Amino acid sequence: MIKKRPGDTPLNAGHSARIAIADDHPLFRGALRQAVEAVVPGTEITESGNFESLLEVLAHADSVDLALLDLTLPDVQGFSGLLYLRAQYPEVPVVIVSANDDPVVIRRSIEFGASGFIPKSLDVPTMGAVFETILAGNTWIPPDIDLNQPTDQETGELVRRVASLTPQQVRVLMMLSQGLLNKQIAYELAVSEATVKAHVSAILQKLGVESRTQAVIAAARIATAAGPASAA
């Protein structure tokens, strides 16, 4: 399915596209690079094997036109990384590239702000054609996916609540899910413990929960929204 992204212009119009690839499998990163270079020769491509490395690229690059994100990286699971990128870098389109082509995962990716979803099962020539579509400013998902299928009310409410978190709150929620204490989160983010406590309070309020444990459970639901199949 091809759909024009509102307000977007072709990414390869007038300049060489800059694309960031985040996947922990070197061979697949190579396949993605090959597919992109086949349709846009001279594209500036950076490769990251984990989420932190991708964040460094986004923080220091002059501009990134497109980020290709695997749903399962060593330091972030499920949709948490996508949520953070959409909150922190709303101007950078993010396309999910995953081995899990469950329709629920694909629909949830779009609901959480992805500009497209590419199954890893596609061959390189087909991926190249898909990237050409995406770089032209369109959204692409597998043609047999119906985005209009209704979402259950509880999950839809969770999506709306999570979308209200600020980038820093998403990051704190991710760290809570890793079992970090406030002082550890403060150290990682270079902020005071009081600031972390304020973020945690805001997270609880926005998610409509009463404890850190409940917030972590909500985050786990985000990370495993499609159940056990959401791997790779």
Side-chain angles (χ1 to χ4, degrees):
M1 178 186 296
I2 300 173
K3 184 177 180 181
K4 191 69 177 178
R5 296 197 296 266
D8 279 7
T9 55
L11 299 181
N12 55 354
H15 72 281
S16 177
R18 300 179 180 88
I19 297 178
I21 299 174
D23 192 290
D24 61 337
H25 295 90
L27 290 179
F28 190 74
R29 291 201 305 270
L32 286 176
R33 174 183 284 272
Q34 181 181 349
V36 171
E37 291 178 338
V39 295
V40 192
T43 299
E44 182 181 329
I45 299 175
T46 60
E47 298 183 22
S48 302
N50 56 53
F51 193 67
E52 285 298 327
S53 178
L54 172 62
L55 293 183
E56 290 180 8
V57 169
L58 292 173
H60 296 99
D62 291 336
S63 65
V64 172
D65 294 305
L66 179 67
L68 305 178
L69 178 68
D70 187 13
L71 280 179
T72 301
L73 294 170
D75 50 349
V76 66
Q77 294 294 314
F79 299 109
S80 300
L82 171 61
L83 286 166
Y84 182 80
L85 293 182
R86 297 307 302 134
Q88 182 69 31
Y89 300 101
E91 74 284 358
V92 179
V94 180
V95 171
I96 297 300
V97 185
S98 177
N100 185 358
D101 57 0
D102 186 307
V104 175
V105 174
I106 296 174
R107 287 195 296 271
R108 197 72 73 242
S109 296
I110 302 303
E111 288 174 353
F112 281 132
S115 295
F117 188 103
I118 300 175
K120 286 186 176 181
S121 57
L122 294 183
D123 55 49
V124 171
T126 303
M127 279 190 185
V130 170
F131 284 129
E132 193 168 24
T133 296
I134 291 171
L135 290 170
N138 300 305
T139 293
W140 189 93
I141 62 171
D144 57 339
I145 300 300
D146 181 11
L147 292 180
N148 295 320
Q149 184 169 328
T151 301
D152 67 90
Q153 185 174 355
E154 185 178 0
T155 300
E157 179 62 21
L158 177 60
V159 170
R160 287 189 290 273
R161 288 181 177 274
V162 169
S164 71
L165 299 178
T166 67
Q168 195 78 318
Q169 289 165 0
V170 172
R171 198 74 187 280
V172 170
L173 181 58
M174 291 165 60
M175 292 179 173
L176 290 177
S177 301
Q178 296 167 5
L180 298 185
L181 302 174
N182 283 358
K183 63 180 180 180
Q184 294 172 310
I185 296 174
Y187 176 79
E188 292 292 333
L189 298 180
V191 299
S192 68
E193 283 192 57
T195 298
V196 173
K197 290 179 180 178
H199 282 316
V200 172
S201 296
I203 290 168
L204 299 184
Q205 181 178 10
K206 289 183 177 182
L207 295 185
V209 298
E210 298 179 353
S211 69
R212 294 164 65 105
T213 299
Q214 291 176 338
V216 169
I217 292 173
R221 287 183 56 200
I222 296 167
T224 58
S230 59

